[in-house]
Amino acid sequence: MQTSSLLKYTVLRLLIVSLICSTFSCDVMKRVKKDEHLLVNNTVLVNDKTTSTETIENLQYQKPNGTLLGIPLRIHIYNLARPNIDSILQAKVLDNPRKVAWKTKLLSKKQFYKELQSRKNFNNWLKKTGEAPTIYNEKKAERTALALKKYYFSKGWFDVKTSFDTKKDSTQKARVTYNVKTGQPYILDSITSTIKTPAIDTLYNSSLKKRSLIAKGQQYDEENYANERDRLTTQLRNSGFYYFGQDYITYDIDTVRTNKKVNTNLIIANRTIRNEDSVARVPFKVYKIKDVNIYTDYKNEYRDSTITDSVTFKNYNLYSYNKLKYRPSAITDAVFITKGDVFKDIARTRTYRYLSELKAFRYPRIDYIPNEQDSTLTANVYLIPKKKFELTSSFEVSQSNIQTVGFGFNAGLKIRNIFRGAETLEISGLGSIGSSKEASSSTDQFFDINEVGGNIRLNIPRFFLPFKTEKIVPKYMSPSTSINLSATSQRNIGLDKQAFTGALNYNWYPTNKVTNSFDLLNVQYVKNLNIGNYFGVYENSFSSLNSIAQDLGIIDENEVLRDPPDLGSSFAPADQFINDVVNGNTTLDTTDDDYITVSNIKQRKDRLTEDNLIFSSSFNYVKNRRENLFDKNFSIVRLRLELAGNMLSNLSNVLGLEKNTDDKYEVFGVPFSQYAKAEIDYVKHWDLGRKNEFAVRSYFGIAIPYGNSDNIPFAKSFFAGGPNDIRAWTAYNLGPGRTVSTNEFNEANLKITLSAEQRFNLLGRFNGAVFVDAGNIWNVFDNVEDEAATFDGLSSLKDIAVGSGFGLRYDFSFFVLRGDIGFKTYDPSRTLGERWFKDYNFGNAVYNIGVNYPF
């Protein structure tokens, strides 16, 4: 609620500012003095060609003010602020006793000062939201020219020359042109090395030199030299050289009379030891780990206390100031520093990460104590345990298309180290109540929606398997296991259901950018409790049945296929009518459109009301190349493969179980689902500079039923539309294929989408976007026979829907509040020739609200 109020308040302020600017024609030169010039344009010419990249722009010490549609709106807002608001209020109000007396009669003294402060706050907001005019500064232009020269020099153009030309006009505006003449680049030629420490010299020539980032024939680039220095430092610190640092690496570069060739000598000096009155240089030594000591319950106040419990396990010494509460293997598995190994900096980094991922300790501390006599290190690992028990809770308010208001509450208990192996057990319960849009009826209770459930989750910081996996998945990949059991019971205005879920999941991280997740077993059982209310939920289907029954004379025009209230208002007449049609007890023939409609309704009802039993296994792969939250150039690849029902199908065959009347195997009286499902999701972002970003997303998903299934369970099918999908259609309202959307929830088992979005800054924390979304869903390889809904090859791609629109985002730093307006650009549900721009207006637009970006 606070976020929403803040956004409304900010929008209101912007509307007021815009109205003032449009009414009083704000002057962009208002704050530009007579002897000053407003910088309106920077042009960088590199060898007489205009160059505009993010790097070049970042080198400019003064930049023109930003514009929106060519209008410097932020300058206008800034100009509305009074530069000396305190002096103005003092002179015009506080120093005028009559005005103060008159004001304090209307307002209390507290309100009077509060009103003055609000004027100051609004003035400060105008300054902060706006942007001061960029006044041309020749010193900054000189610094920019020098920065351009240094940049191109660092890239190998040692003869580069830069200059700038400033044009000032009579309107007090300045335009600057920077000229860069690079000349010919310098190329790397000979690369030699002078390494003082013999052990490092041997290692460099035997292995490190082969992977050097600087090589003969390259154009000189200062960044490559810096990266090579970092690489060598990392390799040497992972090869036992404990005291080594990158300051010991220098380069001697010779370009004198070399005909634009660069001769490089890599220099690695000996270790420097500073004594009280002298400095000694000695060769670096390789250090090995002598001992690894782990303090499992360390606190600062324990520093002078006595160890009461200790154990040695696999060359690790574990100490505890109280009784040792962990199995030794649970701790040592998280420590990559090994007795007898040479010092490796990466071992400390991996230990930090693994111990943090246990979520059983606060941030750990690792210290090395050198033993100069034998060139060894003693590693001390200090662990501070978190509390064993922790209570959690959350509360939320929600609203949906069938729920006027809903309230949800979650409470849980987290128990750490429950089996002395750093495991975490989480027990939680949930409850929610809600009021449907039909609850206003005096005969119904107001809160007619409710859900209760419970969840038990055990997290194990290793693979829980009967065999060792160290050679397949090394422990530096942080392997973990999750065992989850949950049950929920839901009562709503729909079908009501109970759901039971169990899962055994394994996670590991091969690299910092790759995440793997494998569900060895995922069991889901969904039982529908109120299937008699199907047509009460899917009213469009019921309306179609009524129309057909009335046309056939089965019921009168003022009647419906539903029992009267005194008989319970059940939908038994609708089910009877469906059976009469499909069994040939009406005048409809199998080729009639009405017969096909009724048959499709029956098929959909049977599928959505059947109980589901899913035994599946799945594998998820995610590669995220994003370096951090500020990285705008990155890509994300997500792959998922799921197989369901194969184990139960094989067991049924082996055990010789009998099939039911529908030729399906059953487990506990429920036909189990059998299918294969694959999904590919690719996202790419490009940083265009100056807070502009271009992003694309492509998605392909397919689920194929086979064996014991003719279709895909509703929960595993695909849908289209919504704030994170094809934004010109609401969720579940697009497709399948070119069918006219009549069902409340449209879904299918094949999906293709492609989205592109241009994002840009509008004003301060306000950002804008224009987007195009394309895609649809279809049925394929299942029992749906409607040609309009099925995918028949490349010809079906003409049924891909296209939506376009624009959006507004407000960045709260920790999340983004997003609003998008989508327009139906190409609607496949219309006839060919009538699909483009037929509903392209605000009356038929879809208004989406979301949190964070859609991709």
Side-chain angles (χ1 to χ4, degrees), residues 224-500:
N224 289 340
Y225 281 78
N227 291 338
E228 174 66 2
R229 182 187 289 113
D230 292 340
R231 185 187 73 90
L232 290 175
T233 302
T234 300
Q235 293 294 329
L236 292 173
R237 284 190 59 79
N238 287 328
S239 300
F241 298 98
Y242 174 70
Y243 284 105
F244 193 85
Q246 66 173 215
D247 291 342
Y248 288 102
I249 301 177
T250 58
Y251 298 99
D252 183 11
I253 297 173
D254 180 20
T255 59
V256 179
R257 298 177 183 177
T258 59
N259 192 25
K260 299 190 185 300
K261 301 291 185 182
V262 179
N263 297 318
T264 303
N265 184 32
L266 167 68
I267 301 172
I268 301 181
N270 276 337
R271 176 189 170 194
T272 301
I273 301 177
R274 301 183 184 277
N275 300 313
E276 291 183 1
D277 54 356
S278 63
V279 176
R281 292 191 176 274
V282 298
F284 284 96
K285 295 180 181 179
V286 174
Y287 281 73
K288 291 188 176 183
I289 305 300
K290 183 177 184 179
D291 288 298
V292 182
N293 303 318
I294 304 173
Y295 298 86
T296 63
D297 58 351
Y298 182 80
K299 292 182 181 179
N300 288 332
E301 56 265 31
Y302 288 170
R303 279 181 294 184
D304 299 324
S305 301
T306 303
I307 298 294
T308 60
D309 196 0
S310 64
V311 65
T312 299
F313 179 79
K314 291 185 177 180
N315 292 324
Y316 291 97
N317 303 316
L318 287 86
Y319 300 104
S320 179
Y321 293 93
N322 299 291
K323 182 175 176 59
L324 184 62
K325 298 178 181 179
Y326 300 89
R327 289 200 310 272
S329 61
I331 303 299
T332 58
D333 281 350
V335 178
F336 293 83
I337 306 168
T338 306
K339 181 178 181 178
D341 281 1
V342 298
F343 164 77
K344 295 179 181 178
D345 215 17
I346 193 173
R348 174 161 51 180
T349 301
R350 287 173 172 172
T351 301
Y352 275 132
R353 190 183 76 173
Y354 203 124
L355 287 171
S356 298
E357 289 174 350
L358 290 180
K359 297 179 181 180
F361 306 99
R362 298 175 188 174
Y363 195 76
R365 192 179 96 225
I366 302 174
D367 294 337
Y368 286 101
I369 300 176
N371 308 298
E372 297 297 343
Q373 298 83 356
D374 55 1
S375 300
T376 61
L377 299 169
T378 298
N380 294 324
V381 182
Y382 299 96
L383 305 178
I384 303 176
K386 293 182 178 180
K387 293 181 179 179
K388 185 177 182 66
F389 299 98
E390 180 182 346
L391 293 174
T392 61
S393 64
S394 64
F395 178 78
E396 64 178 17
V397 180
S398 59
Q399 189 271 339
S400 69
N401 59 340
I402 64 170
Q403 184 174 260
T404 303
V405 64
F407 303 94
F409 180 78
N410 290 269
L413 172 65
K414 185 179 292 185
I415 308 174
R416 297 184 176 92
N417 194 37
I418 187 168
F419 300 121
R420 300 184 67 246
E423 306 90 352
T424 302
L425 179 66
E426 299 178 46
I427 304 173
S428 61
L430 65 90
S432 66
I433 56 174
S435 175
S436 74
K437 294 182 178 180
E438 299 177 357
S440 58
S441 172
S442 60
T443 59
D444 295 329
Q445 58 180 349
F446 182 76
F447 290 112
D448 56 346
I449 299 175
N450 62 68
E451 181 178 6
V452 294
N455 184 79
I456 300 176
R457 183 183 183 91
L458 177 64
N459 296 305
I460 306 172
R462 54 194 167 275
F463 278 171
F464 183 66
L465 288 167
F467 52 87
K468 294 184 177 181
T469 58
E470 177 70 21
K471 293 183 178 180
I472 303 173
V473 181
K475 68 177 185 178
Y476 74 81
M477 295 184 182
S478 301
S480 63
T481 305
S482 174
I483 302 173
N484 191 77
L485 296 172
S486 65
T488 59
S489 179
Q490 182 185 81
R491 176 186 176 274
N492 55 32
I493 62 170
L495 304 180
D496 299 349
K497 61 182 62 180
Q498 292 176 341
F500 303 91

Side-chain angles (χ1 to χ4, degrees), residues 757-811:
E757 184 168 284
Q758 174 74 49
R759 301 166 185 169
F760 48 88
N761 181 252
L762 289 174
L763 187 67
R765 290 180 175 269
F766 277 96
N767 298 299
V770 292
F771 59 85
V772 177
D773 301 321
N776 208 334
I777 56 174
W778 294 267
N779 288 94
V780 63
F781 304 126
D782 62 4
N783 58 355
V784 175
E785 299 177 354
D786 187 355
E787 292 183 0
T790 56
F791 189 87
D792 297 321
L794 295 179
S795 62
S796 295
L797 295 179
K798 67 179 181 294
D799 296 332
I800 286 182
V802 179
S804 58
F806 60 91
L808 180 68
R809 294 92 163 85
Y810 187 83
D811 190 350

